[in-house]
Amino acid sequence: MLSKVHVIVTGAGAGIGKEIVTSCLSERAHVVACDISEDSLNELKASYSTNKLSTYAVDVADYDSVKDFFKQIKATSPGVNALVNNAGIYLAQNLLTYSEEEINKVLDVNVKGAVYFSQFFGKYLIEKDAYGTIVNMSSVWYGSCKDSFL
């Protein structure tokens, strides 16, 4: 049982993130679900009739958006003690064709987003003199290395 866990899950609106939310709720955790898509969050919220789920539209790649999110968390969810950095994008194209803009977008979401959330979560815990857990997720399709360059 995860009844004492209050977890933030990024990229919670679909895919692996949505499954993490489902698993955490089934284990009785409190979940703060974050995603850039308000529509996905609304669908997620409609799927569960529990007061253990709250949702926030957050752009993980935007420093100010993450900063504002943590200001809200301090006020509304003071028991948060876990973070799952799950948000990520994959453009599903040949790596050799990525433009500079596409590379920056991938790095902004996949790397900076996890760093921003980890930084603010760490500050949040230090201010509370508390311990917490951070899980960083990564995934991509399973083709061969050669396929990713072709």
Side-chain angles (χ1 to χ4, degrees), residues 4-150:
K4 294 183 181 181
V5 174
H6 290 81
V7 60
I8 297 168
V9 180
T10 67
I16 294 170
K18 188 174 182 179
E19 293 303 317
I20 293 168
V21 169
T22 299
S23 293
C24 288
L25 288 173
S26 72
E27 292 293 326
R28 302 193 178 167
H30 294 263
V31 179
V32 178
C34 302
D35 201 279
I36 196 167
S37 169
E38 287 189 48
D39 290 340
S40 294
L41 291 172
N42 290 337
E43 288 176 23
L44 183 67
K45 190 77 169 171
S47 299
Y48 299 97
S49 58
T50 179
N51 63 351
K52 292 190 174 199
L53 173 64
S54 55
T55 59
Y56 293 86
V58 182
D59 180 353
V60 300
D62 182 287
Y63 186 85
D64 289 331
S65 181
V66 177
K67 183 178 180 179
D68 291 344
F69 166 76
F70 273 93
K71 284 180 187 175
Q72 291 178 329
I73 289 303
K74 287 178 188 178
T76 61
S77 301
V80 170
N81 56 10
L83 166 64
V84 178
N85 282 313
N86 171 70
I89 60 171
Y90 174 61
L91 302 181
Q93 66 187 37
N94 180 326
L95 178 65
L96 299 178
T97 65
Y98 276 34
S99 68
E100 181 179 3
E101 181 179 313
E102 291 168 326
I103 292 168
N104 286 334
K105 183 176 181 177
V106 169
L107 292 175
D108 286 349
V109 173
N110 297 1
V111 178
K112 288 182 181 179
V115 171
Y116 295 160
F117 262 82
S118 296
Q119 180 185 51
F120 281 104
F121 182 66
K123 288 177 182 179
Y124 167 85
L125 291 175
I126 289 168
E127 287 174 10
K128 290 179 20 174
D129 194 29
Y131 291 96
T133 302
I134 299 174
V135 176
N136 293 312
M137 304 285 292
S138 176
S139 70
V140 71
W141 70 287
Y142 56 88
S144 72
C145 289
K146 182 179 175 187
D147 289 343
S148 66
F149 289 103
L150 298 177

